[in-house]
Amino acid sequence: MKEITILSGKGGTGKTSITAAFASLAKNAIFCDNDVDAADLHLILKPKIKEENTFNSGWQLEIDTEKCNSCNLCMEKCRFDAIHLTNNHYIINHLKCEGCRLCERICAVEAISSTEKRNNFWFVSDTRFGQLVHAKMGPGEENSGKLVTRIRKKAKEIAKENNLDLIINDGPPGIGCAAIASVTGTGKVILVIEPSQSGLHDAGRLSELVSTFNIPMFAIINKFDINIALSEKIEVFLQKNEIELLGKIPYDADFIQAMIAEKTIDEFVPDSETTKIIKDCFNKIL
Ligand code: SF4
Ligand code: SF4
């Protein structure tokens, strides 16, 4: 079974449109939207949810000021400096709290209690191209890396059970923990790069990240004709770093029209030059 993860340095590079097009071209595949913070593959794939699950993203701790005897032990022992004394009350700073629950265990008067944070959900859905595993994070929720790991595990399980040949991951933008979780253990990575200074910079950061995992890397330059000089710089960068360039896609307003029509680019304009290039990129990566 092969697994491909498609990454970009930031949103708006066309990564999801390219992933969706790959999904429509793939045979016997499953898709996984690893961009759990701002999932949008569903906008094109229009999934019909058949399984919904909650994902525990950690623990929310509270101190009962009535029970607290101000012994100070929790504040002293919290390694994350998440307990503060404010107006003679011990309170937990939820932005700093890591949910380790040490304070709950050591409080002699049981003034600290915890509840599971269950604001994150993940789904298994049917789409017109195959199954999609995707997720929705609650506002302000963290642990996107763990959620990505969870949904990738599920996608692998389904692929095994159904003898599927390919998993396509739509990765998150950037190099944060969700991107790391998206790359770990994948077979190949495709970087979608746009010709801008930030695109070039992002390509550098991403390739550094991926090379630490020793995973074969490929690239697609999207909208290459909006800045030919920078596209050439990116090509030089790719050659230097031995990253195979799968193809260069011109700026194409049909991407937006296809998204509005909730279609992949190859469904929307099957005979266009862009569709031809994307098909070619897909055949090269298999
Ligand atoms: S350990 Fe318990 S009793 Fe002591 S300060 Fe913290 S909450 Fe209060
Ligand atoms: S759960 Fe852990 S990190 Fe959070 S306040 Fe308690 S000791 Fe500190």
Side-chain angles (χ1 to χ4, degrees), residues 59-63 74-75 77-84 91-94 96-106 112 114:
W59 296 89
Q60 171 104 356
L61 280 290
E62 298 296 344
I63 296 177
C74 57
M75 195 161 102
K77 296 291 181 190
C78 176
R79 287 192 299 132
F80 302 97
D81 188 29
I83 301 180
H84 304 160
I91 57 160
I92 293 178
N93 179 341
H94 295 295
K96 286 186 163 182
C97 175
E98 289 287 323
C100 68
R101 299 169 80 196
L102 173 73
C103 53
E104 185 183 17
R105 288 195 293 276
I106 60 174
I112 305 181
S114 58

Side-chain angles (χ1 to χ4, degrees), residues 21-33:
F22 279 9
S24 73
L25 298 169
K27 305 273 177 288
N28 208 29
I30 183 164
F31 321 110
C32 190
D33 193 345

Side-chain angles (χ1 to χ4, degrees), residues 65 70 75 84-91:
T65 51
S70 303
M75 195 161 102
H84 304 160
L85 185 57
T86 310
N87 297 331
N88 290 326
H89 288 313
Y90 288 84
I91 57 160

Side-chain angles (χ1 to χ4, degrees), residues 29-33 42 45-54 121-128 130-136 147 150-159 161-162 164:
I30 183 164
F31 321 110
C32 190
D33 193 345
H42 64 280
L45 299 193
K46 305 300 293 172
K48 288 191 180 66
I49 294 172
K50 58 180 184 178
E51 188 187 322
E52 177 173 334
N53 304 277
T54 50
F121 302 90
W122 60 272
F123 315 93
V124 180
S125 298
D126 280 327
T127 78
R128 60 196 182 282
Q131 295 185 73
L132 171 70
V133 189
H134 50 127
K136 188 174 186 318
L147 184 52
R150 181 68 194 91
I151 61 173
R152 281 189 61 205
K153 184 170 178 263
K154 182 66 182 179
K156 254 186 207 151
E157 285 165 7
I158 296 173
E161 280 161 20
N162 295 277
L164 301 178

